[in-house]
């Protein structure tokens, strides 16, 4: 029986690469995002494309109802959509902080609520939440983004215990630095909110770091994360967490063993060396 998968944020980056990988692996793939025009290539590759805006409840309900009507089952939900809202906490309007949570946390949680009945009915399923190494470590000027990723880490641990009795797995995937549209969006927000404030010097340095990181050899292509997700879906007992690509394991190792202030110093050194080169 062909397994059905829903992946959000499939119009670019990790989501697009994962949709391509899973359709090649033989899954029936539903790929969702706001920019349908950006998913015509996926359609041509045999992926089912759905419109989805995670800030719009009706759109989330519609996406899940479409799958329920067409297939009556969902084997895996891959919550991948998200963006990085950067800028100094003092500068970013709370309205934008709320929007960041709406997309990265509440939209993800709403999809889980709506997909769980389909999984419980068959006493099987896998929920993959794409967080980030940013769900465990910190950097300046990324407080709203990191807050959402820390939130999804905790939410996923609670959920794993709740749904295990129904035969449903919850997997957290923590990418490191991955070459996608993510960093351009984060950089644009950072400079928009803090490029002309008391934080301008920090913001410009951090923006140079993000730009330089994009071309660094440490950054991995999104196919690396797609491969990790495919492996987690194949596993009969998946790990609870997979750190993958772009220095993820090294950075999480340092975060685990360094004190808070020693890690602050490490992040400042990385920022300085990359920003200098950028
Ligand atoms: N790139 C990295 O270095 C990195 C590292 C760690 C974690 N991550 C995480 O990986 C995930 C995928 O990011 P990416 O790197 O592949 O970035 P990306 O290329 O910018 O892709 C982000 C996707 O999210 C979708 N999205 C954004 N806002 C949305 C909304 N309101 N409703 C529905 N979909 C929305 C976008 O589609 P539309 O705009 O068409 O809706 C797009 O398909 C994110 O959760 C990100 O935080 C990325």
């Amino acid at each position: 029986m062909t397994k059905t998968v829903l992946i959000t944020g499939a119009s670019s980056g990790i989501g697009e690469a994962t949709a391509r990988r899973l359709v090649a692996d033989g899954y029936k793939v539903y790929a969702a995002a706001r920019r349908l025009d950006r998913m015509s290539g996926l359609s041509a590759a045999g992926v089912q494309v759905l419109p989805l805006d995670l800030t719009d409840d009706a759109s989330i309900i519609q996406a899940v109802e479409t799958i329920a009507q067409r297939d009556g089952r969902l084997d895996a939900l891959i919550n991948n959509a998200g963006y990085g809202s950067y800028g100094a906490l003092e500068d970013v309007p709370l309205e934008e902080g709320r929007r960041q949570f709406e997309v990265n946390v509440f939209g993800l949680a709403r999809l889980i609520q709506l997909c769980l009945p389909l999984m419980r009915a068959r006493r099987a399923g896998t929920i993959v939440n794409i967080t980030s190494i940013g769900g465990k470590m910190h950097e300046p000027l990324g407080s709203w983004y990191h807050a959402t990723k820390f939130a999804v880490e905790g939410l996923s641990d609670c959920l794993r215990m709740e749904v295990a009795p129904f035969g449903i797995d919850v997997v957290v995937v923590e990418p490191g630095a991955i070459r996608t549209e993510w960093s351009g969006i984060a950089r644009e927000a950072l400079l928009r909110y803090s490029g002309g404030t008391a934080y301008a010097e920090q913001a410009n340095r951090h923006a140079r770091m993000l730009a330089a990181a994009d071309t660094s050899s440490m950054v991995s292509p999104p196919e690396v994360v797609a491969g990790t997700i495919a492996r987690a879906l194949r596993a009969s007992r998946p790990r609870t967490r997979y750190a993958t690509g772009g220095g993820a394991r090294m950075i999480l190792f340092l975060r685990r063993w360094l004190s808070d202030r020693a890690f602050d110093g490490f992040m400042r050194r990385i920022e300085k060396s990359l920003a200098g080169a950028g």
Side-chain angles (χ1 to χ4, degrees):
M1 185 78 175
T2 304
K3 290 193 169 177
T4 301
V5 174
L6 167 61
I7 175 151
T8 66
S11 60
S12 69
I14 294 169
E16 182 181 353
T18 305
R20 284 188 194 282
R21 167 66 191 257
L22 295 181
V23 85
D25 285 358
Y27 291 88
K28 178 165 185 186
V29 178
Y30 284 94
R34 291 169 303 176
R35 293 170 299 174
L36 292 176
D37 55 312
R38 290 285 302 270
M39 296 192 285
S40 54
L42 287 181
S43 260
V47 170
Q48 315 290 310
V49 164
L50 293 176
L52 176 70
D53 182 346
L54 286 170
T55 64
D56 175 2
D57 198 51
S59 159
I60 302 175
I61 292 170
Q62 184 58 55
V64 179
E65 272 180 3
T66 301
I67 297 170
Q69 278 162 15
R70 286 193 204 162
D71 293 86
R73 65 182 279 162
L74 184 65
D75 296 279
L77 164 65
I78 303 167
N79 275 310
N80 163 75
Y83 74 100
S85 178
Y86 275 61
L89 187 69
E90 187 180 342
D91 296 334
V92 178
L94 282 186
E95 194 190 336
E96 169 52 28
R98 289 196 183 97
R99 184 168 173 274
Q100 173 78 125
F101 263 85
E102 205 59 54
V103 175
N104 290 11
V105 183
F106 290 106
L108 165 148
R110 184 68 176 129
L111 257 182
I112 293 171
Q113 286 184 332
L114 294 167
C115 291
L116 273 174
L118 285 171
M119 294 182 174
R120 278 193 299 100
R122 300 183 53 256
R123 297 193 72 78
T126 308
I127 295 169
V128 179
N129 290 333
I130 312 299
T131 63
S132 167
I133 54 170
K136 287 198 177 136
M137 48 72 76
H138 55 273
E139 65 190 316
L141 307 167
S143 47
W144 283 114
Y145 179 68
H146 285 262
T148 63
K149 295 300 185 180
F150 272 69
V152 176
E153 291 272 341
L155 177 153
S156 302
D157 283 329
C158 298
L159 183 69
R160 181 177 67 249
M161 296 185 71
E162 285 167 22
V163 300
F166 302 106
I168 298 165
D169 287 309
V170 177
V171 172
V172 170
V173 172
E174 298 162 332
I178 312 297
R179 193 166 292 113
T180 68
E181 294 176 12
W182 184 93
S183 81
I185 293 169
R187 228 168 37 235
E188 192 274 321
L190 172 60
L191 293 174
R192 175 157 34 97
Y193 292 123
S194 293
T197 70
Y199 299 88
E201 194 184 324
Q202 286 190 56
N204 283 303
R205 189 168 58 235
H206 207 74
R208 286 202 305 280
M209 179 198 88
L210 287 170
D214 245 2
T215 55
S216 134
S217 58
M218 202 177 102
V219 179
S220 302
E223 286 74 19
V224 169
V225 185
T228 302
I229 295 169
R231 186 153 51 93
L233 291 186
R234 271 198 316 272
S236 54
R237 192 164 192 269
R239 296 198 333 233
T240 56
R241 282 183 165 73
Y242 295 80
T244 179
R249 282 163 186 238
M250 185 266 288
I251 290 173
L252 291 183
F253 176 84
L254 290 173
R255 179 62 191 111
R256 184 164 192 167
W257 296 108
L258 293 179
S259 68
D260 291 346
R261 288 198 197 285
F263 190 81
D264 293 355
F266 164 73
M267 288 305 292
R268 285 204 194 291
R269 276 196 298 281
I270 288 205
E271 190 187 61
K272 261 193 193 138
S273 82
L274 280 171

